[in-house]
Amino acid sequence: MDIVVPFSGTYYQPLCAVYSKRCIPLIEAQLERGDRKVDRLFERVAVKPVSYRRLRSVDPALRSFFNVNTPEELLLAERMARDLDGSGDPGHS
């Protein structure tokens, strides 16, 4: 298997995928062509999709896919982090 990727319907979560080192030359060639669409790589390698249903056993709310693109989303992410670790400090580990 070259890529293991979360998948729902027709949508992949490529930033949460695990990539084999065998993908490196293909990724480099794709970037050299100016093609930055990550999931186009999936057409050329062996892909194991992992369903959201399966992922919910370890991430019931699918928070792994939460995006932080705005200041408001950053504040929400910080609150979520505090709730997860219970420390009240988002940097606590």
Side-chain angles (χ1 to χ4, degrees):
M1 208 50 50
D2 297 310
I3 300 173
V4 178
V5 61
F7 178 78
S8 177
T10 59
Y11 187 73
Y12 291 109
Q13 291 283 352
L15 298 180
C16 295
V18 178
Y19 296 83
S20 163
K21 287 182 181 181
R22 292 185 300 271
C23 294
I24 292 172
L26 296 169
I27 293 168
E28 288 173 339
Q30 187 170 323
L31 289 172
E32 286 174 11
R33 289 192 307 275
D35 183 358
R36 288 172 171 57
K37 184 104 173 97
V38 177
D39 60 356
R40 272 201 266 275
L41 172 68
F42 296 2
E43 303 164 2
R44 302 181 310 143
V45 298
V47 176
K48 166 113 177 119
V50 178
S51 72
Y52 282 19
R53 181 174 169 246
R54 186 163 184 192
L55 291 172
R56 284 187 191 277
S57 67
V58 294
D59 183 4
L62 297 176
R63 288 184 176 185
S64 302
F65 309 127
F66 181 77
N67 288 312
V68 179
N69 298 312
T70 66
E72 294 79 17
E73 290 170 340
L74 177 59
L75 289 173
L76 179 56
E78 289 171 342
R79 282 196 304 269
M80 290 166 56
R82 283 191 300 271
D83 291 347
L84 285 175
D85 74 13
S87 71
D89 175 6
H92 177 76
S93 43

